[in-house]
Amino acid sequence: MRQDQEDPYQRRSAQVYAAADRAGSRFVASPRAVLYDAVLLDRDGTLIEDVPYNGDPEKVRPVPGARAALDRLRSAGLRLAVVTNQSGLARGYFTGEQMRAVHARVEELLGRFDAWLVCPHDDADGCDCRKPAPGLVYAAARELGTTPSRCVLVGDIGRDVGAAMAAGAAAVLVPTPVTRPEEVAAAGWVATDLPAAVAEILRRQQAVQPSNPPTEPVRTALVVRSDSAGDVLVTGPAIRAVAAGAERVVLLCGPRGRAAANLLPGVDEIIEHPLPWIDPNPGPVDPEAMRSLSARLGAVGADQAVVFTSFHQSALPLALLLRMAAIDRIAAISDDYPGSLLDIRHRVPVGVPEPERALSLAAAAGHRLPDGDEPVLRLRRDAVPPRPADLGDPGYVVLHPGSAASSRACPPEVATRIVGALADAGHRVLVTGGPDERAVTARVAAAGGTDLGGRTDLAGLAAIVADASAVVVGNTGPAHLAAAAGVPVVSLFAPTVPFGQWGPYRVPTVRLGDAAAPCRDTRAASCPVPGHPCLSGVDPGDVVDALRTLAVSGGGGR
Ligand SMILES: [Zn+2]
C-alpha cells in the first residue's frame, strides 16, 4: 500500500515538527558531531574534589584522569563549559575575586574551558539558574552557540541531571559518596568516573557515524519496526538516516505501529503485517501468512534491509524470511548468534537511548542523518490534521493518564488529583486517551479538565499535543509524540524499562515517580507490585512544580 503517493509534501521536502527547529543553532558542528557539540561539566565533585565553599586556589585538586579525559573531548572537537552552583557567593563565604582565582587555577590544571557559567544564588533566591533549574544549561548552550539538545552534561548529583533534563540536554551522572541512591536510580545514564563518562560520550558520538559508507548506491531500502506507536516514533531518526542514503524507503510495521508509521518523514511506502515473534499477544504462526509475507517482501525489490528491534526482541526470524525472499545486505542488532542470516550483525551496550541505538544500526548499515537534520524525533506536518477549533488557544497542559501497558499508566486516582492541582494552579488541562480509556478520562477530567477521551486518533492527538505547553504522561506513545513536537514532558515514568533508553528524547523533561520501585527493569506489562507504588506516590504538587521548572526553562511563556 502506497502512502500518500500524490502527496506534495513527501519525503525530504516534508515540513516537520521538531524541537531543535524552535531554538535555532548558530554553531556549525563538525561533520562528525551528530549527537553533541558541547559537554557541560559540573565543577565540585565532578572536575575537582569537592571542598565546600572553597575560595583558595591552593586547595584545587582535579579528580583522577580529568585532564586527559577533557583533552580527549577537546581533540574530538567538542566545546567545554563549566556549569556550577556557587551559593557561597550569596552567603558571603568567598568573594567573586577569590572564585575567579580558583577558576584560573582549575584552567591551569585542566586546560581552558570555552565558557564558565556560575549561579551565585542560594535556594532562597528562587532564581532560574541554580541547578536543578535549567538556566545555566540554557546559558551555556547560548554562550557556546548551540542548543541544549546538542549538549551533554556531566555531574555528580541529582541537581545536575535535573537541570540538564529540564533543558532537554543529555546527562551523565558520575556518583560520588555524597550522591544519594535515589539520584542514581533516577538517572538515565550513569558512569563510574569522569574518564568513563567521557569514553562513553565519545563512543556514542562515534557509533552513529558510518565507518563504511555503502560502496554501491541503495535504490530501495526495506526498514522494519514492528511493535507499538512509541517504538515506531523513536526509530524515526534512524529511518531518516536510511532515507538520506536510499532512493526509496519501504517500512514494514505491525498493526499497532501503523498510525505512527503514517507520521514519519522519509517513508515512501508502508507494509503492515503482524510479526508473531514480536507481538506481546501473538496469534499462532500461520504458515500461509508467513509465505505470503515473504513473497510480498520479495516483491519490494529491496537491495538492503535494516531490521530495527528493541533489546529484548529478535530480528532473526524476520531475517530468515528476508533471506527466503532473496534479499541481500541484511543488517540488524543481534546478541544471538545469527549465522548467515545477517550480513551486518550489530551490537549495542544496554542503556543507549532507543533513537541512538537505532541510529547506530543505520550507521552500521552505512547511513547517517544528512547535514542539517538533527537526531530528534520528527513528525510529517502534512500528516497531522488541524487541531479542533473548540479547544481554544494553544498553551494548555495535556494529561494522558493511560498506557497500552497498565504497568506504565498513571493510577486514575493520582491523575485525578493531578488535574485538580493543575487547575488550582491556573492551568487549562486537556485529558486525552484512546477509545477504550473513556471511563478513565471522564473520571480524571471531572476534577477540573476537559475530557477528550476517545476523540482523536494518533494523528489527531499529535495535533493537540503539538500546541500544548507541556504534556504530563507516562512511558507511552504520547510522550514520544510530545518529544517529536518539541513539547516539554512531565514524565510519570514507571521504571519497568530503563529511563535512559525510553525516556522522552531530546526534549525538556522532568521525571517523577519512584525510580527504585520493585517493578524496576521487570518489563512487566501489568504492575507486579500491589498498589502500583512507582506512580501511586506521585505528589500532584510536584507536577505543578515540574511545570514551573519547565516554563521557566522555556524562556517566554510557551
Ligand atoms: Zn542562580
Side-chain angles (χ1 to χ4, degrees):
M1 34 190 119
R2 243 353 247 192
Q3 173 188 276
D4 299 325
Q5 199 152 19
E6 310 297 326
D7 198 307
Y9 290 102
Q10 46 185 314
R11 287 177 64 79
R12 294 166 189 83
S13 61
Q15 288 185 298
V16 291
Y17 290 107
D21 298 339
R22 295 194 175 198
S25 166
R26 64 189 159 84
F27 174 56
V28 180
S30 84
R32 288 173 55 212
V34 175
L35 297 181
Y36 306 120
D37 298 330
V39 181
L40 316 183
L41 299 124
D42 169 54
R43 196 191 85 176
D44 301 322
T46 300
L47 287 175
I48 60 175
E49 286 171 17
D50 187 9
V51 178
Y53 307 117
N54 180 28
D56 179 0
E58 294 306 311
K59 291 185 182 160
V60 172
R61 301 271 178 277
V63 302
R67 177 67 197 241
L70 295 171
D71 284 345
R72 286 190 71 190
L73 295 173
R74 293 182 180 109
S75 54
L78 287 156
R79 297 173 178 210
L80 304 183
V82 181
V83 288
T84 179
N85 284 354
Q86 294 298 333
S87 63
L89 284 170
R91 298 173 196 185
Y93 295 157
F94 51 81
T95 64
E97 197 174 335
Q98 284 173 312
M99 186 185 72
R100 282 188 287 280
V102 167
H103 291 176
R105 179 65 179 152
V106 171
E107 291 204 323
E108 206 177 304
L109 293 167
L110 295 180
R112 255 188 52 73
F113 292 89
D114 299 293
W116 284 84
L117 289 302
V118 177
C119 167
H121 309 108
D122 191 323
D123 275 330
D125 293 326
C127 68
D128 299 346
C129 50
R130 181 165 167 79
K131 295 176 284 184
L136 289 184
V137 178
Y138 279 103
R142 207 160 41 235
E143 185 91 9
L144 299 173
T146 185
T147 55
S149 68
R150 299 192 56 83
C151 295
V152 52
L153 184 149
V154 185
D156 66 323
I157 57 173
R159 279 178 181 264
D160 298 310
V161 174
M165 283 183 27
V172 194
L173 182 73
V174 177
T176 68
V178 307
T179 313
R180 300 200 312 265
E182 59 270 30
E183 295 176 329
V184 179
W189 181 355
V190 179
T192 51
D193 54 24
L194 180 59
V198 164
E200 179 62 7
I201 289 167
L202 293 173
R203 192 200 66 73
R204 290 188 185 187
Q205 179 97 310
Q206 196 63 45
V208 295
Q209 202 56 30
S211 48
N212 302 307
T215 45
E216 305 157 45
V218 178
R219 289 185 313 277
T220 298
L222 175 67
V223 295
V224 182
R225 188 62 166 106
S226 202
D227 225 336
S228 61
D231 302 284
V232 170
L233 291 173
V234 298
T235 311
I239 292 174
R240 299 201 307 274
V242 174
E247 289 170 24
R248 174 170 166 256
V249 172
V250 179
L251 169 62
L252 169 65
C253 69
R256 297 184 310 132
R258 174 57 195 257
N262 291 339
L263 300 177
L264 290 187
V267 176
D268 296 289
E269 186 180 334
I270 296 174
I271 298 174
E272 178 187 323
H273 201 289
L275 302 182
W277 53 93
I278 301 284
D279 265 23
N281 302 303
V285 175
D286 173 0
E288 192 43 50
M290 289 299 108
R291 272 189 288 272
S292 98
L293 174 61
S294 187
R296 192 162 166 202
L297 295 174
V300 166
D303 37 6
Q304 181 181 48
V306 186
V307 183
F308 297 102
T309 47
S310 291
F311 70 100
H312 61 286
Q313 297 169 343
S314 175
L316 298 183
L318 185 70
L320 178 60
L321 288 191
L322 295 172
R323 281 285 189 247
M324 291 169 67
I327 293 178
D328 292 330
R329 297 164 73 185
I330 305 175
I333 295 172
S334 186
D335 285 328
D336 290 335
Y337 172 64
S340 53
L341 290 179
L342 300 179
D343 301 285
I344 294 168
R345 176 206 195 177
H346 184 57
R347 301 181 89 168
V348 183
V350 291
V352 176
E354 288 292 314
E356 290 174 26
R357 191 172 178 277
L359 271 171
S360 76
L361 173 60
H367 303 291
R368 54 163 286 175
L369 284 168
D371 294 337
D373 197 357
E374 289 280 322
V376 294
L377 311 192
R378 294 184 190 273
L379 306 176
R380 296 168 50 129
R381 189 160 288 199
D382 61 296
V384 177
R387 188 169 55 87
D390 63 336
L391 298 183
D393 291 334
Y396 43 78
V397 173
V398 167
L399 174 73
H400 190 92
S403 167
S406 64
S407 60
R408 297 188 262 119
C410 182
E413 57 280 8
V414 176
T416 303
R417 283 189 280 123
I418 291 172
V419 168
L422 292 177
D424 288 348
H427 293 285
R428 263 190 303 142
V429 186
L430 307 186
V431 181
T432 56
D436 52 344
E437 294 166 340
R438 281 187 182 133
V440 169
T441 59
R443 176 178 155 197
V444 169
T450 302
D451 178 17
L452 300 181
R455 235 183 93 175
T456 62
D457 57 9
L458 192 77
L461 181 58
I464 290 168
V465 162
D467 277 342
S469 58
V471 177
V472 183
V473 62
N475 175 25
T476 187
H480 303 300
L481 281 183
V487 172
V489 178
V490 178
S491 177
L492 310 175
F493 196 94
T496 53
V497 294
F499 183 77
Q501 283 178 232
W502 289 101
Y505 187 63
R506 290 198 170 211
V507 71
T509 300
V510 174
R511 178 186 185 170
L512 298 177
D514 180 2
C519 63
R520 186 178 172 94
D521 295 337
T522 58
R523 285 196 288 109
S526 57
C527 183
V529 188
H532 198 10
C534 66
L535 294 179
S536 59
V538 168
D539 179 347
D542 289 346
V543 178
V544 175
D545 290 347
L547 287 176
R548 198 173 297 127
T549 299
L550 293 168
V552 165
S553 72
R558 289 177 25 85

